[in-house]
């Protein structure tokens, strides 16, 4: 499955070749309900091993157009995990202090320590997306940034941090329906951000820049393209990729410490 | 319930008057199973309101002797929440840099922003506990720190952060059994910390210092004493206190924005 949606470095991706409504070999969510239960359980067990072993870390990077469901999928897939082993970070427009640092500074600070999982809701990839659309970063600078990103992700990999990158792929129509529902449903008004309407006008440009970064930044860690017009399938696919990422670390139970046995006799004697 | 275990500021607490095996009006965990399900559901709903409203924050401070189950209860009660709205922080011995700051510096940095929940596994209270037991903080300094803590918690309260303090109360015998099980069970060896044995020798001193801080630091926010020899009751009590804490904020649904309706017509027109 995660191979199915993995983007190969070699060939240029054309996003319009990927159907955002794709649901793989499944027709509806009932067909994945049982597997989801099992995967959720497995993810929890894998996380406990990750925490105990302190030899690996996993960073999940979520990107996608506005309304693609980053918040929703993060909640759905990662609630259930031990909060002491996971942290989520949402990156908005940089603060003034952050702007006076290199573009990787603020995200570097938030990468997971060994034993931990971190989830990025948007990331340093915005620094080759919205900044380009807004004309703050030109093509030459974007090329340099692609390189810096690859080096940064290689550094993380060298330190035991597995970087799992997920693009939530929605259709332009899906976004429109979401935006309208945020206006029509008064309880969702607080989620509506007028700037989303503005960014929507640059849909094509965003798509092009995404296609370029998929091509240029899949060296140290591949991108996964998640068809996300169907919420249930999006959640299932991300959960499956998350489990497979942790499985791939081949996490071991922490070793027993035979020296402790001697201590046991002493403790029992002392407490008599 | 949360009142039941709330420590009054006025009277000095004698820990030996509190039975760590207490299970309130319940005999076993089956009796609370249904209520736990409901409380878990309610906690999730309250958290969503907290996130949406961004007017309040909640800080849960966990203290207790080694092996009192801080890790366990944090996992049990707070897994299930949206990871984007909760962060957990574990405070070990301070780093060199942290030691060169005042004792509240590192914890202040980790307090929750409005809309967020933070969980402290140990806290600034260690700075009037282990530091005193180890002779690094004398009585006069401890008195000054109690004052600083009260001022700090008042500052947080003034900024909309509700501080909920929980002491996991176990018996000395319970700790011994836990320590032994961490040695006897090879898969738990990694959890065994030899320094716990050393600290155990200062049990009485720790108890005295806890009693003193309960008396001196319950002004801005009360302490809750959780009987914790029975895991199921400990989990239930903490969950109930957590839900009651969020309930007490009287969280409102975020208000609708009537101005958006006009936008809707424009959007539909533009997308034709």
């Amino acid at each position: 499955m995660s191979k199915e949606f993995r983007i190969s470095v070699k060939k240029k991706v054309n996003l319009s070749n990927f159907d955002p409504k794709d649901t793989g070999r499944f027709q509806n969510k009932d067909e994945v309900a049982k597997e989801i239960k099992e995967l959720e359980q497995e993810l929890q067990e894998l996380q406990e091993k990750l925490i105990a072993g302190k030899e690996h870390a996993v960073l999940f990077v979520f990107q996608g157009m506005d309304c693609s469901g980053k918040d929703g999928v993060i909640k759905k897939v990662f609630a259930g995990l031990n909060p002491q082993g996971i942290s989520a970070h949402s990156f908005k427009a940089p603060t003034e202090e952050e702007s006076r640092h290199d573009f990787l500074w603020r995200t570097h600070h938030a990468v997971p320590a060994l034993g931990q999982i971190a989830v990025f809701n948007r990331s340093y990839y915005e620094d080759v997306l919205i900044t380009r659309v807004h004309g703050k970063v030109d093509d030459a600078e974007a090329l340099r940034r692609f390189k810096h990103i690859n080096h940064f992700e290689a550094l993380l990999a060298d330190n035991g941090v597995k970087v799992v990158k997920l693009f939530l792929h929605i259709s332009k129509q899906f976004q429109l329906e979401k935006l309208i529902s945020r206006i029509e449903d008064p309880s969702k008004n607080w989620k509506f951000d007028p700037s989303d309407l503005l960014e929507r006008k640059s849909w094509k440009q965003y798509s092009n820049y995404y296609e370029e970064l998929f091509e240029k930044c899949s060296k140290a860690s591949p991108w996964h393209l998640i068809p996300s017009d169907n919420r249930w399938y999006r959640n299932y696919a991300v959960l499956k990729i998350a489990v497979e990422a942790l499985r791939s670390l081949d996490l071991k139970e922490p070793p027993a410490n035979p020296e402790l046995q001697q201590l046991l006799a002493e403790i029992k004697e002392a407490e008599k």
Side-chain angles (χ1 to χ4, degrees), chain A:
Chain A
M1 141 75 80
S2 75
K3 271 218 177 96
E4 199 179 328
F5 297 116
R6 193 171 291 180
I7 292 168
S8 160
V9 200
K10 299 274 163 66
K11 65 168 190 247
K12 178 116 164 83
V13 168
N14 185 338
L15 270 178
S16 56
N17 291 340
F18 290 84
D19 180 7
K21 290 193 175 46
D22 188 18
T23 56
R25 56 197 169 87
F26 305 104
Q27 306 301 314
N28 59 61
K29 64 176 165 182
D30 295 340
E31 291 178 33
V32 290
K34 187 168 162 278
E35 192 183 346
I36 282 178
K37 282 257 171 266
E38 291 162 1
L39 289 168
E40 285 174 344
Q41 182 62 34
E42 188 178 351
L43 191 61
Q44 289 174 25
E45 289 162 9
L46 286 164
Q47 187 203 19
E48 287 309 310
K49 283 191 192 171
L50 187 77
I51 291 173
K54 289 189 190 64
E55 292 195 342
H56 300 273
V58 187
L59 170 59
F60 294 97
V61 174
F62 285 90
Q63 286 288 155
M65 302 288 194
D66 297 321
C67 301
S68 59
K70 299 180 286 297
D71 288 288
V73 79
I74 290 170
K75 180 180 166 189
K76 202 70 190 167
V77 172
F78 298 103
L81 294 189
N82 186 342
Q84 289 204 86
I86 184 168
S87 61
H89 307 267
S90 179
F91 297 99
K92 313 279 182 193
T95 64
E96 207 213 312
E97 189 195 11
E98 287 168 352
S99 303
R100 282 183 280 122
H101 287 276
D102 68 79
F103 79 102
L104 292 168
W105 182 76
R106 64 173 182 161
T107 36
H108 200 164
H109 186 76
V111 300
L114 297 178
Q116 294 279 313
I117 292 171
V119 179
F120 284 2
N121 184 338
R122 304 189 185 272
S123 66
Y124 42 91
Y125 282 103
E126 291 298 329
D127 298 290
V128 287
L129 284 163
I130 192 167
T131 48
R132 290 185 87 179
V133 172
H134 291 191
K136 286 175 194 160
V137 164
D138 64 19
D139 292 354
E141 173 64 11
L143 282 177
R144 282 194 295 276
R145 290 190 174 192
F146 291 148
K147 248 193 253 176
H148 293 309
I149 288 174
N150 285 333
H151 295 161
F152 175 58
E153 292 181 350
L155 168 71
L156 296 182
D158 261 358
N159 197 49
V161 182
K162 189 177 181 75
V163 183
V164 182
K165 299 182 300 200
L166 305 115
F167 174 72
L168 305 185
H169 182 41
I170 55 168
S171 62
K172 208 175 168 190
Q173 180 60 28
F174 179 87
Q175 188 191 57
L176 180 63
E177 286 159 18
K178 271 283 196 183
L179 285 171
I180 289 174
S181 84
R182 285 181 182 179
I183 297 176
E184 286 184 333
D185 180 347
S187 75
K188 285 186 187 162
N189 284 180
W190 69 279
K191 288 185 183 176
F192 180 82
D193 181 350
S195 76
D196 290 357
L197 282 179
L198 214 68
E199 301 304 327
R200 176 172 169 79
K201 294 185 178 158
S202 310
W203 184 279
K204 186 68 197 135
Q205 228 183 336
Y206 273 107
S207 299
N208 292 342
Y209 290 147
Y210 266 115
E211 288 170 358
E212 194 179 350
L213 74 84
F214 292 150
E215 190 191 0
K216 301 282 169 54
C217 297
S218 289
K219 254 182 204 157
S221 104
W223 274 96
H224 300 272
L225 234 131
I226 317 291
S228 299
D229 270 14
N230 290 292
R231 225 183 314 195
W232 65 269
Y233 186 70
R234 174 201 73 190
N235 294 345
Y236 165 73
V238 171
L239 175 61
K240 185 132 187 173
I241 288 168
V243 167
E244 285 177 358
L246 270 86
R247 265 187 210 153
S248 76
L249 301 175
D250 195 18
L251 300 163
K252 305 268 186 291
E253 298 282 351
N257 180 356
E259 286 171 26
L260 287 182
Q261 298 310 316
Q262 198 184 326
L263 202 58
L264 192 58
E266 291 169 31
I267 294 171
K268 285 182 173 170
E269 184 58 36
E271 297 284 342
K272 259 180 196 165

